């Protein structure tokens, strides 16, 4: 799933490409992906893109005051093209859910496809007058990159810290991968209870959130959209690396698997050398 650093880089790329362009058309290959009906997609035609921004993991394309909000979910992505096909999308014909054609003054050849791999569909698009009309945006917690962000007040919860970091209503933008990386950097068990953390543990976690997220943002910045996913994988120290060697201590990275997700951690760095139980039936990641 794209998380804050990748979405941030994607937003910066799109803003540079799209600002000032005019929407030449919006094509849907999946009616289910568009979650709103007023204003209609046709209302965007002929209007200018005035900017692209981010709310947590949501992409916000401002089209002269109408906002196209995209949430890429687990397997979605946005594929930019300098020369889109002339043929229109057909319903359900591929993994492309929607196409936006743009005109920078030389014809409607550029634009992007919103894609989603796999059979489990979670990709969502909204066309609204205000981002707050999107329930997921309205419910977002504070952004770790926002000025004045404070983690400490958010920890007064009887929640496992891994779950807290992933909860978008508590902290916006951090998902499964970067929560693994943050906890590894903070030397904390993913099963630690947030409200029970010591002052030293809170300090390490605060530092790790800022360091891991900000470094990832800088690493992703400026990379082409089609390279961001692979680039993210290469930067992970423990996430997605079960069975490999921890780059800090040399121990073997272990994994806990759930029904629809998993986490990775280093037992030496994070759990005092003790393997965590595979709590498949836990409500931990629900």
């Amino acid at each position: 799933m794209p998380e804050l650093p990748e979405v941030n880089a994607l937003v910066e790329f799109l803003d540079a490409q799209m600002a000032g362009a005019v929407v030449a058309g919006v094509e849907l290959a999946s009616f289910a992906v568009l979650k709103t009906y007023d204003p209609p997609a046709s209302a965007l035609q002929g209007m200018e893109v005035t900017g692209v921004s981010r709310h947590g993991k949501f992409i916000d394309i401002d089209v002269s005051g109408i906002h196209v909000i995209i949430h890429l979910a687990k397997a979605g992505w946005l594929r930019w093209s300098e020369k889109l096909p002339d043929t229109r999308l057909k319903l359900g014909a591929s993994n492309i859910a929607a196409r936006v054609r743009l005109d920078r003054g030389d014809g409607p050849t550029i634009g992007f496809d919103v894609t989603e791999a796999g059979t489990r569909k979670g990709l969502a698009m909204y066309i609204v007058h205000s981002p707050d009309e999107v329930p997921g945006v309205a419910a977002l917690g504070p952004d770790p990159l926002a000025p004045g962000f404070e983690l400490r007040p958010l920890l007064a919860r009887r929640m496992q810290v891994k779950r807290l970091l992933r909860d978008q209503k508590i902290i916006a933008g951090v998902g499964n991968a970067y929560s693994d990386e943050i906890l590894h950097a903070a030397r904390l068990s993913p099963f630690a209870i947030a409200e029970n953390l010591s002052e030293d543990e809170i300090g390490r976690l605060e530092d790790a959130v800022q360091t891991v997220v900000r470094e990832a943002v800088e690493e992703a910045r400026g990379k082409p959209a089609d390279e961001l996913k692979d680039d993210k994988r290469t930067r992970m120290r423990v996430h997605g690396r079960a069975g490999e060697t921890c780059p800090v201590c040399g121990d073997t990275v272990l994994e806990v698997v759930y029904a629809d997700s998993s986490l990775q951690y280093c037992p030496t760095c994070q759990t005092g050398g003790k393997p965590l139980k595979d709590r498949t039936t836990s409500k931990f990641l629900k």
Side-chain angles (χ1 to χ4, degrees), residues 34-52:
L34 184 59
K35 307 301 182 183
T36 55
Y37 61 90
D38 184 24
S42 59
L44 301 171
Q45 192 154 344
M47 298 180 71
E48 181 182 336
V49 176
T50 51
V52 186

Side-chain angles (χ1 to χ4, degrees), residues 90-283:
K90 295 181 180 180
L91 285 174
S94 67
N95 66 346
I96 301 174
R99 174 172 290 162
V100 176
R101 296 181 183 273
L102 300 165
D103 187 347
R104 287 191 295 219
D106 52 1
T109 60
I110 65 166
F112 61 86
D113 290 334
V114 185
T115 68
E116 185 170 29
T119 57
R120 185 177 176 182
K121 304 301 182 183
L123 179 71
M125 291 180 61
Y126 308 81
I127 300 176
V128 292
H129 292 289
S130 169
D132 287 340
E133 293 176 40
V134 178
V137 173
L140 285 174
D143 192 299
L145 295 186
F149 172 81
E150 291 186 75
L151 179 64
R152 184 179 297 265
L154 307 177
L155 297 175
R157 293 171 167 85
R158 189 156 188 79
M159 295 174 65
Q160 289 168 327
V161 68
K162 166 79 174 181
R163 181 183 172 194
L164 183 147
L165 290 172
R166 290 189 61 190
D167 191 326
Q168 299 304 294
K169 295 180 181 179
I170 299 175
I171 301 174
V174 175
N176 195 33
Y178 286 104
S179 59
D180 280 350
E181 297 297 296
I182 287 167
L183 291 169
H184 179 252
R187 307 191 305 280
L188 288 175
S189 167
F191 291 169
I193 301 301
E195 68 176 7
N196 293 342
L197 295 179
S198 68
E199 285 298 311
D200 179 61
E201 290 171 332
I202 291 172
R204 298 202 310 260
L205 185 58
E206 287 178 324
D207 289 344
V209 168
Q210 291 295 310
T211 300
V212 169
V213 173
R214 291 184 183 278
E215 286 183 355
V217 165
E218 289 305 315
E219 287 288 337
R221 177 165 284 142
K223 289 185 170 61
D226 59 358
E227 295 181 12
L228 286 170
K229 284 186 177 182
D230 289 338
D231 176 68
K232 174 184 177 179
R233 294 187 188 101
T234 64
R235 290 186 279 103
M236 297 291 106
R237 292 189 169 196
V238 291
H239 182 78
R241 299 196 178 278
E244 298 182 25
T245 300
C246 170
V248 174
C249 72
D251 197 358
T252 300
V253 175
L254 300 182
E255 182 174 53
V256 177
V257 178
Y258 298 90
D260 60 351
S261 188
S262 65
L263 65 85
Q264 290 79 42
Y265 68 99
C266 170
T268 294
C269 292
Q270 297 176 251
T271 62
K274 298 179 181 179
L276 296 173
K277 292 183 179 179
D278 193 342
R279 305 180 183 182
T280 305
T281 58
S282 172
K283 294 182 180 179

Side-chain angles (χ1 to χ4, degrees), residues 40-98:
S42 59
L44 301 171
Q45 192 154 344
M47 298 180 71
E48 181 182 336
V49 176
T50 51
V52 186
S53 59
R54 176 184 63 80
H55 312 280
K57 302 178 195 176
F58 290 83
I59 298 167
D60 180 354
I61 302 170
D62 188 337
V63 185
S64 299
I66 296 177
H67 296 261
V68 181
I69 309 290
I70 302 172
H71 189 269
L72 296 170
K74 189 171 185 177
W77 195 239
L78 195 152
R79 189 169 65 206
W80 178 262
S81 175
E82 289 291 328
K83 187 170 179 57
L84 288 170
D86 293 332
T87 55
R88 290 183 60 84
L89 290 179
K90 295 181 180 180
L91 285 174
S94 67
N95 66 346
I96 301 174

